[in-house]
């Protein structure tokens, strides 16, 4: 008799636990379906000297507080940017810093010419 009572109590506890987990999952799924999907874009381009069009390798490109660098050909790629306005700051030793704002609504490719000091 004790074994039957214990088995019934155990079965009841398992069923209650499963129901609680299902309700938590339903809430998570409901919340996820009501949140807006965020579209991700990338920004790429080239940094070069405005006088002779020479590529500037190692130029610093800062977007949303994250720093990236141009490669040996002056090219850069910044992945995972959200739609909207972003401020881009470009710095390179002995060159005038340049700041620009871009409004992303698709993947963009920008060429950034900076002047030597």
């Amino acid at each position: 008799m004790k074994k039957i009572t214990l088995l019934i109590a155990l079965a009841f506890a398992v069923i209650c636990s499963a129901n609680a987990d299902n309700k938590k999952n339903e809430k998570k799924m409901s919340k996820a379906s009501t949140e807006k999907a965020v579209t991700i874009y990338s920004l790429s381009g080239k940094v070069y000297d405005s006088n002779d069009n020479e590529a500037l390798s190692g130029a610093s490109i800062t977007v949303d507080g994250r720093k990236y660098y141009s490669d040996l050909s002056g090219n850069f790629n910044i992945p995972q940017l959200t739609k909207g306005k972003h401020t881009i700051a470009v710095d390179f030793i002995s060159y005038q810093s340049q700041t620009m704002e871009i409004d992303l609504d698709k993947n963009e490719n920008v060429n950034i010419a900076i002047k030597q000091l």
Side-chain angles (χ1 to χ4, degrees), residues 19-32:
N19 283 340
D21 287 343
N22 284 341
K23 287 184 180 183
K24 285 181 186 176
N25 287 338
E26 286 174 5
K27 284 183 181 179
K28 285 181 184 176
M29 291 173 59
S30 175
K31 184 178 179 182

Side-chain angles (χ1 to χ4, degrees), residues 45-61:
K46 184 173 188 169
V47 180
Y48 61 95
D49 183 297
S50 64
N51 290 330
D52 62 10
N53 294 332
E54 181 181 339
L56 299 175
S57 65
S60 165
I61 302 102

Side-chain angles (χ1 to χ4, degrees), residues 3-114:
K3 288 183 181 180
I4 293 173
T5 305
L6 184 59
L7 286 174
I8 291 172
L10 183 60
F12 181 73
V14 169
I15 291 170
C16 288
S17 176
N19 283 340
D21 287 343
N22 284 341
K23 287 184 180 183
K24 285 181 186 176
N25 287 338
E26 286 174 5
K27 284 183 181 179
K28 285 181 184 176
M29 291 173 59
S30 175
K31 184 178 179 182
S33 65
T34 59
E35 292 177 357
K36 292 184 179 180
V38 176
T39 305
I40 302 297
Y41 299 107
S42 67
L43 176 66
S44 58
K46 184 173 188 169
V47 180
Y48 61 95
D49 183 297
S50 64
N51 290 330
D52 62 10
N53 294 332
E54 181 181 339
L56 299 175
S57 65
S60 165
I61 302 102
T62 305
V63 178
D64 298 339
R66 293 180 293 180
K67 193 173 277 193
Y68 303 88
Y69 296 93
S70 60
D71 65 12
L72 292 174
S73 301
N75 297 313
F76 64 90
N77 183 43
I78 302 168
Q80 300 184 352
L81 294 173
T82 57
K83 179 178 180 175
K85 294 183 180 184
H86 298 274
T87 301
I88 302 167
V90 180
D91 296 298
F92 193 68
I93 295 172
S94 76
Y95 280 78
Q96 186 175 9
S97 296
Q98 182 171 339
T99 302
M100 59 190 287
E101 189 173 271
I102 189 161
D103 191 4
L104 284 180
D105 62 355
K106 62 181 179 180
N107 292 332
E108 293 280 344
N109 188 1
V110 294
N111 291 320
I112 303 170
I114 56 177

